[in-house]
C-alpha cells in the first residue's frame, strides 16, 4: 500500500511512498484540506541524500501508532528542499529563531489558516532518547496546545512573523558606515579567519569564504592572518583529505572531524563544482600544487563517468549509504568507499601496501569503524606505484578497470541498487534530477578549470550542460529550475537565475570568441530583472512575483551557506554585464543591490562573503580589450575582477586597452605594460 508520494517525481518524496503516514506533497489542495478540516499542518522538509532524513523515514515515519495519530490529527506534508528552497529557507529561519539551531530533517508545525509556524525541530526518535522526547509524545502535546492555548498560540505566531518580516526587510544602513575599501578589508579578514584551521568540530569546504579570502590576497591587507597560507592550506585539506575520494574522484560533503579524515560520504554536485573552481583559482594564483590538478582531473572523471546524463546535464547527488550485499535490510554509511586492512592485503602486493601505508592513513585498525578512509599524508605528485594501487582499488569497487570504465550507470533507488547485477560493489543511490543552480556551479567550475589547464574536455562537458539548460528549461517562455527525465518543472528561483547567468559568463570568459554565451546571459538576465527584482527594497527576491502566493514572507537571499547567496552572485553578474555590454543600467542595479544589503555587510560580515565578492567586482571591475592571441594568454592567469573582449580595432602600436568602469587607460604598448595596468586596475579599491 502506497500513499500519494508514489506518484512524485522527487526521489526524496518517493522514498516516503510506503510510509503509513498519509503524506501530501505541498500543493493548493493540501493547504485547502488542512483549512477545511482545521488540522494543523505537519511539514517535513529534507533531501534524498540526508542521512538523518533516511533514519527518520525508517523509524518514526514507518511507525503505525505514530501514523495513526498523525493521520487523524494533522495534515502531513512532505517537501524536497531541493525542489522548493524558498519554503526551506523561510521555515529553516523559523526553526533557528525558535531553537537556536538548524538542520535536516526540518520538521515544523504550521497553523492551516496562515501557514505560520508555532513549533519546530529536526530529528525526533520514536521513543525518548538522546535527550529528546518520543515523536508521539510531541504530536500529542502539540495538538493539545493547538486546541486549548489559542491566545498563547496567536501571540507566539505574531512574534515569529514579526521576526521573519524584519529579517526579510533589513534595516536601511547604519549610522557609522565604513568606507568601501575598509568594509572590503573587514569582509576579507572575517572570511579568512573563518577558514583558518581550527582544532575542533566538523570540517566543511565553505567555498564562498575561501573564494573571498583568495581574491583578497592580492590587496596585501595588514592582518593577523597570512591569507595566502590559509587559502593554500584549505586547498591542501580538500585535495589531500578524506573528503576527496582518492580512488574514484569527487568530493564528499564534509568531514566529521577537524583533521579532514572521515567524511560524511554523500557527494553533492554543488560542492564539487565549487571546489573545482576554487582549486583551479589557486593554481592560476601561482599555488601550483600537483594534488590540486589531480583532484580536479579525478573529479571530472567521476562527473563524466557517474554524474552526467546521456543528454549532457549533471545529476544532483549520491547518497552516503550503500548496501554491502543484495540481501541486506539497511544500507551502511560509506560502504562503497572504505577498505578493510585485510582487503588491502589481498588486493595489493606487499610493496604496494607498504607504500600506500607510508603515503595514506592506512592501518590495521582503520580510522572508520575498523575500516580505512584514504587520506594522503603528504602533498606532491603520487608515484606510479601508488597510482597503480589506487587503480586496482577502483577496479574492485566498480568491477571494471579504469581504462574500460567510461560510464557507470546510476542506481536510481534502493530497489535498483539491490537487484542490479553489479560487477563490483553495490553503489550508493544517485538522485538523477537536474537542478539548474547546481548544474551552473559545476559549469562554472569546469569553465574555470578549462581556462587554467587548457583542457578542451572540461569545456566540452560544461558547454553540453549549458546547452541542455538553454534548450530544455523553458516552459511557456519562463525559466524552470528542475528537470525530471526530460520534463522541466518548478519556476526558477533566484539562485537558478544568478548561478546560471554566472555560468554563461564564465563560459564566455574561458572562450571569449563564442559570443552566444553572453547573448544568452543577457536574455536570461532580462527575465530575472522582470520577475524577481525587488523594486521596493532592491536586490532580488527568492521567487518570482507571480509564484509567491503560498509564502508567508518573500525573502531576498543574502546569506551564504553551502552555496553562494543568490544576491551576491547576481550583483557581481550585473557588474560583469555592464563591462561587457556598456549598458550602465546593469551598473545602476548593482549599486542599488549593494546599497540594499550594506547594513548586513556592516553588521554581520560572517554571513555574506559573496556580497563582499560582489563589492570587489564593483570597486575593481576591469575590462581588457585585446586580440584573440593576447586574451588567450591571459585566461589562465588569476584576474578575479577582469572580463575579456576580443577586438582587432586597437590603437596603432598597442597590444590592448584596459578600461575601468567609465574610463579607459592609455593604450598598453607591450604585454608587460598591459599586465601592470591590469594589476593596478584590480587593486584600485585601496587607492
Amino acid at each position: 500500500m502506497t500513499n500519494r508520494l508514489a506518484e512524485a517525481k522527487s526521489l526524496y518524496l518517493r522514498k516516503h511512498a510506503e510510509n503509513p503516514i498519509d503524506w501530501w506533497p505541498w500543493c493548493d489542495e493540501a493547504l485547502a484540506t488542512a483549512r477545511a478540516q482545521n488540522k494543523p499542518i505537519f511539514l517535513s522538509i529534507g533531501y534524498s541524500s540526508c542521512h538523518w532524513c533516511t533514519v527518520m523515514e525508517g523509524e518514526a515515519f514507518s511507525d503505525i501508532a505514530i501514523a495513526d495519530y498523525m493521520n487523524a490529527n494533522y495534515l502531513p506534508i512532505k517537501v524536497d528542499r531541493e525542489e522548493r528552497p524558498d519554503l526551506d529557507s523561510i521555515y529553516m529561519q523559523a526553526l533557528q529563531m525558535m531553537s537556536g539551531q538548524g538542520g535536516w530533517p526540518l520538521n515544523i508545525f504550521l497553523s492551516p489558516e496562515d501557514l505560520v509556524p508555532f513549533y519546530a525541530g529536526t530529528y525526533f526518535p520514536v521513543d525518548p532518547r538522546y535527550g529528546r522526547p518520543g515523536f508521539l509524545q510531541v504530536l500529542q502535546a502539540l495538538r493539545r496546545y493547538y486546541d486549548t492555548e489559542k491566545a498563547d498560540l496567536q501571540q507566539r505566531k505574531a512574534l515569529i512573523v514579526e521576526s521573519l518580516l524584519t529579517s526579510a526587510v533589513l534595516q536601511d544602513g547604519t549610522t557609522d558606515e565604513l568606507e568601501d575599501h575598509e568594509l572590503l578589508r573587514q569582509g576579507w579578514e572575517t572570511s579568512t579567519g573563518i577558514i583558518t584551521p581550527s582544532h575542533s568540530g566538523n570540517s566543511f569546504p565553505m567555498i564562498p569564504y575561501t573564494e573571498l579570502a583568495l581574491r583578497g590576497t592580492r590587496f596585501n591587507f595588514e592582518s593577523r592572518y597570512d591569507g595566502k597560507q590559509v587559502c593554500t592550506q584549505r586547498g591542501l585539506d580538500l585535495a589531500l583529505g578524506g573528503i576527496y575520494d582518492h580512488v574514484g574522484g569527487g568530493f564528499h560533503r564534509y568531514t566529521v572531524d577537524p583533521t579532514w579524515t572521515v567524511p560524511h560520504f554523500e557527494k553533492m554536485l554543488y560542492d564539487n563544482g565549487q571546489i573545482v573552481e576554487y582549486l583551479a583559482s589557486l593554481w592560476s594564483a601561482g599555488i601550483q600544487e600537483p594534488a590540486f590538478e589531480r583532484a580536479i582531473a579525478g573529479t571530472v572523471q567521476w562527473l563524466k563517468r557517474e554524474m552526467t546524463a546521456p543528454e549532457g546535464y549533471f545529476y544532483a547527488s549520491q547518497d552516503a549509504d550503500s548496501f554491502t550485499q543484495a540481501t541486506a535490510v539497511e544500507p551502511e554509511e560509506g560502504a562503497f568507499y572504505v577498505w578493510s586492512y585485510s582487503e588491502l592485503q589481498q588486493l595489493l602486493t606487499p610493496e604496494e601496501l607498504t607504500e600506500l601505508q607510508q603515503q595514506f592513513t592506512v592501518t590495521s585498525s582503520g580510522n572508520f569503524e575498523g575500516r580505512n578512509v584514504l587520506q594522503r599524508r603528504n602533498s606532491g605528485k603520487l608515484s606510479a606505484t601508488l597510482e597503480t594501487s589506487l587503480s586496482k582499488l577502483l577496479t574492485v569497487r566498480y568491477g571494471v578497470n579504469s581504462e574500460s570504465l567510461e560510464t557507470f550507470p546510476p542506481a536510481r533507488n534502493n530497489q535498483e541498487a539491490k537487484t542490479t547485477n553489479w560487477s563490483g560493489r553495490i553503489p550508493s543511490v544517485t538522485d538523477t534530477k537536474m537542478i539548474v543552480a547546481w548544474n551552473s556551479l559545476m559549469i562554472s567550475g569546469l569553465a574555470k578549470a578549462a581556462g587554467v589547464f587548457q583542457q578542451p574536455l572540461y569545456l566540452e562537458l560544461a558547454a553540453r550542460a549549458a546547452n541542455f539548460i538553454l534548450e530544455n528549461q523553458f516552459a511557456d517562455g519562463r525559466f524552470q529550475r528542475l528537470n525530471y527525465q526530460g520534463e522541466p518543472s518548478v519556476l526558477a528561483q533566484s539562485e537558478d537565475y544568478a548561478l546560471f547567468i554566472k555560468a554563461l559568463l564564465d563560459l564566455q570568459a574561458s572562450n571569449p570568441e563564442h559570443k552566444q554565451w553572453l547573448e544568452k546571459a543577457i536574455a536570461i538576465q532580462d527575465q530575472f530583472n522582470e520577475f524577481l527584482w525587488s523594486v521596493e527594497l532592491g536586490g532580488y527576491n527568492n521567487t518570482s512575483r507571480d509564484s509567491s502566493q503560498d509564502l508567508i514572507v518573500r525573502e531576498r537571499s543574502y546569506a551564504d551557506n553551502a552555496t553562494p547567496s543568490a544576491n551576491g552572485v547576481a550583483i557581481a553578474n550585473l557588474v560583469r554585464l555592464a563591462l561587457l555590454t556598456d549598458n550602465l543600467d546593469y551598473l545602476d542595479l548593482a549599486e542599488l543591490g549593494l546599497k540594499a544589503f550594506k547594513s548586513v555587510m556592516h553588521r554581520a560580515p560572517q554571513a555574506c562573503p559573496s556580497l563582499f565578492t560582489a563589492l570587489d567586482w564593483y570597486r575593481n571591475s576591469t575590462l581588457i580589450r585585446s586580440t584573440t592571441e593576447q586574451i588567450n594568454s591571459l585566461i589562465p592567469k588569476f584576474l578575479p575582477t577582469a572580463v575579456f573582449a576580443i577586438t582587432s580595432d586597437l590603437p596603432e602600436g598597442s597590444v590592448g586597452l584596459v578600461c575601468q568602469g567609465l574610463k579607459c587607460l592609455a593604450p598598453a604598448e607591450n604585454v608587460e605594460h598591459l599586465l601592470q595596468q591590469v594589476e593596478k586596475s584590480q587593486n584600485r579599491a585601496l587607492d
Side-chain angles (χ1 to χ4, degrees):
M1 186 75 177
T2 58
N3 56 44
R4 294 174 187 82
L5 301 187
E7 302 302 315
K9 295 176 181 177
S10 159
L11 172 61
Y12 175 66
L13 297 190
R14 290 200 310 276
K15 283 183 176 181
H16 296 75
E18 296 184 5
N19 291 162
I21 291 175
D22 189 19
W23 290 113
W24 289 75
W26 183 277
C27 60
D28 291 342
E29 184 184 357
L31 303 181
T33 301
R35 287 192 292 271
Q37 297 178 0
N38 189 28
K39 282 184 175 180
I41 292 169
F42 172 67
L43 173 62
S44 183
I45 303 176
Y47 57 103
S48 66
S49 57
C50 165
H51 175 72
W52 287 103
C53 301
T54 301
V55 171
M56 200 163 176
E57 184 279 322
E59 293 178 351
F61 296 155
S62 295
D63 184 274
I64 297 298
I66 287 172
D68 287 345
Y69 190 86
M70 175 79 77
N71 295 338
N73 293 278
Y74 292 89
L75 194 293
I77 297 179
K78 255 289 165 198
V79 165
D80 182 342
R81 69 178 294 258
E82 295 167 1
E83 286 191 325
R84 291 297 303 268
D86 52 341
L87 288 171
D88 178 65
S89 176
I90 292 168
Y91 291 118
M92 180 59 70
Q93 191 175 165
L95 167 64
Q96 290 166 340
M97 288 173 181
M98 286 187 255
S99 68
Q101 61 183 9
W104 295 274
L106 165 55
N107 293 308
I108 193 160
F109 296 80
L110 318 179
S111 285
E113 71 276 9
D114 53 17
L115 307 181
V116 175
F118 58 89
Y119 186 80
T122 53
Y123 167 77
F124 292 104
V126 174
D127 301 308
R129 57 178 170 162
Y130 311 133
R132 298 168 186 244
F135 192 41
L136 184 56
Q137 292 174 285
V138 172
L139 294 174
Q140 291 168 338
L142 288 174
R143 182 67 211 221
R144 280 196 302 273
Y145 173 78
Y146 178 80
D147 290 335
T148 62
E149 302 288 342
K150 293 297 186 183
D152 189 76
L153 175 69
Q154 293 306 319
Q155 185 178 15
R156 184 179 181 85
K157 292 194 315 179
L159 288 172
I160 291 168
V161 169
E162 183 181 3
S163 296
L164 288 170
L165 287 171
T166 300
S167 176
V169 172
L170 296 176
Q171 296 301 310
D172 184 19
T174 62
T175 55
D176 56 345
E177 289 197 356
L178 303 171
E179 293 293 331
D180 278 356
H181 68 87
E182 177 57 23
L183 183 61
L184 189 56
R185 188 205 64 77
Q186 179 179 291
W188 174 83
E189 177 101 359
T190 301
S191 284
T192 305
I194 286 171
I195 66 164
T196 295
S198 67
H199 302 289
S200 63
N202 299 338
S203 299
F204 290 86
M206 303 184 80
I207 298 302
Y209 296 89
T210 65
E211 154 70 13
L212 176 60
L214 180 61
R215 64 175 40 240
T217 57
R218 73 188 196 276
F219 295 130
N220 295 315
F221 287 127
E222 284 190 18
S223 172
R224 64 184 182 274
Y225 304 113
D226 182 339
K228 188 172 182 180
Q229 191 278 328
V230 169
C231 291
T232 302
Q233 186 59 52
R234 178 51 54 101
L236 291 170
D237 290 336
L238 291 166
L240 305 181
I243 193 170
Y244 178 65
D245 179 359
H246 297 278
V247 172
F251 290 88
H252 301 293
R253 179 70 194 88
Y254 62 92
T255 66
V256 299
D257 49 48
T259 57
W260 296 88
T261 303
V262 176
H264 191 37
F265 289 91
E266 74 237 32
K267 291 181 180 179
M268 311 299 292
L269 183 67
Y270 60 74
D271 284 318
N272 282 273
Q274 291 178 90
I275 294 171
V276 165
E277 184 170 3
Y278 177 65
L279 294 180
S281 293
L282 280 174
W283 188 278
S284 71
I287 308 167
Q288 298 185 350
E289 160 59 44
F292 299 165
E293 186 176 17
R294 183 183 188 276
I296 290 171
T299 299
V300 174
Q301 286 303 313
W302 162 77
L303 181 77
K304 184 172 179 286
R305 180 179 66 239
E306 300 176 45
M307 294 290 285
T308 302
E311 298 86 353
Y313 63 84
F314 306 126
Y315 301 143
S317 62
Q318 292 178 325
D319 285 1
D321 309 334
S322 59
F323 295 97
T324 55
Q325 51 189 10
T327 55
V329 176
E330 295 291 339
E332 294 181 16
E333 184 169 7
F336 192 59
Y337 301 105
V338 297
W339 306 91
S340 70
Y341 191 74
S342 59
E343 278 182 294
L344 297 174
Q345 285 179 309
Q346 186 177 2
L347 297 170
L348 305 178
T349 67
E351 294 77 18
E352 289 170 341
L353 181 55
T354 297
E355 189 170 352
L356 191 72
Q357 287 183 271
Q358 290 170 346
Q359 296 297 324
F360 286 84
T361 54
V362 170
T363 64
S364 57
S365 57
N367 53 21
F368 173 70
E369 299 178 357
R371 292 172 291 176
N372 289 280
V373 174
L374 298 185
Q375 177 182 22
R376 289 180 61 176
R377 300 181 188 274
N378 304 297
S379 58
K381 187 176 175 64
L382 291 180
S383 70
T385 301
L386 284 168
E387 292 289 8
T388 298
S389 299
L390 295 173
S391 183
K392 286 183 177 181
L393 299 185
L394 184 142
T395 300
V396 170
R397 183 191 287 177
Y398 293 95
V400 184
N401 64 44
S402 56
E403 290 78 17
S404 306
L405 188 62
E406 289 193 14
T407 58
F408 187 73
R412 297 171 188 269
N413 52 56
N414 283 346
Q415 185 66 16
E416 260 188 37
K418 293 175 73 170
T419 57
T420 301
N421 185 23
W422 305 101
S423 299
R425 293 176 172 180
I426 299 174
S428 304
V429 168
T430 298
D431 187 345
T432 58
K433 70 171 171 286
M434 195 289 298
I435 304 175
V436 167
W438 298 10
N439 269 250
S440 301
L441 287 166
M442 195 73 242
I443 292 166
S444 287
L446 289 167
K448 179 69 175 180
V452 170
F453 295 102
Q454 298 296 293
Q455 285 281 358
L457 170 64
Y458 299 178
L459 199 59
E460 178 188 332
L461 288 169
R464 280 192 72 210
N467 280 323
F468 176 87
I469 293 170
L470 290 167
E471 293 165 9
N472 294 276
Q473 288 309 111
F474 290 86
D476 299 323
R478 296 290 294 279
F479 197 31
Q480 305 290 306
R481 172 175 173 79
L482 305 173
N483 193 292
Y484 288 104
Q485 297 180 316
E487 290 186 28
S489 177
V490 181
L491 278 173
Q493 303 199 2
S494 59
E495 67 170 5
D496 301 298
Y497 279 101
L499 290 169
F500 189 55
I501 291 164
K502 177 184 183 293
L504 293 172
L505 295 176
D506 290 340
L507 281 167
Q508 191 271 340
S510 288
N511 198 352
E513 288 183 287
H514 288 206
K515 299 282 182 65
Q516 79 269 23
W517 303 123
L518 176 59
E519 293 166 3
K520 297 296 185 182
I522 292 167
I524 294 173
Q525 184 68 52
D526 287 345
Q527 190 174 113
F528 192 17
N529 293 344
E530 179 183 356
F531 289 102
L532 284 89
W533 177 260
S534 174
V535 176
E536 302 85 359
L537 299 172
Y540 292 93
N541 292 304
N542 288 0
T543 53
S544 62
R545 53 182 165 77
D546 56 351
S547 66
S548 304
Q549 297 85 350
D550 57 356
L551 304 179
I552 59 175
V553 64
R554 212 168 163 210
E555 290 188 314
R556 295 169 298 153
S557 169
Y558 62 82
D560 296 81
N561 42 59
T563 55
S565 77
N567 274 289
V569 174
I571 293 167
N573 290 342
L574 289 167
V575 176
R576 296 170 75 177
L577 286 166
L579 289 171
L580 290 165
T581 65
D582 294 327
N583 183 345
L584 297 183
D585 290 343
Y586 293 129
L587 206 58
D588 291 340
L589 288 178
E591 186 174 3
L592 288 170
L594 285 170
K595 184 179 179 183
F597 299 108
K598 193 66 85 61
S599 65
V600 78
M601 295 171 73
H602 282 269
R603 188 176 67 250
Q606 74 279 5
C608 51
S610 290
L611 285 172
F612 288 95
T613 292
L615 178 61
D616 185 18
W617 270 102
Y618 183 76
R619 294 280 300 178
N620 298 291
S621 57
T622 301
L623 171 65
I624 305 170
R625 298 182 185 274
S626 191
T627 61
T628 300
E629 182 182 6
Q630 190 58 57
I631 293 294
N632 285 339
S633 73
L634 294 174
I635 288 172
K637 297 185 182 299
F638 185 62
L639 304 172
T641 57
V643 300
F644 306 120
I646 291 175
T647 181
S648 56
D649 185 21
L650 292 170
E652 188 175 347
S654 70
V655 298
L657 281 172
V658 175
C659 302
Q660 305 170 342
L662 304 178
K663 69 174 184 179
C664 291
L665 305 180
E669 298 169 358
N670 53 54
V671 174
E672 184 180 4
H673 187 203
L674 180 69
L675 291 174
Q676 287 173 348
Q677 288 182 327
V678 171
E679 182 178 356
K680 187 173 182 181
S681 177
Q682 292 200 114
N683 285 271
R684 66 186 188 275
L686 304 184
D687 292 346

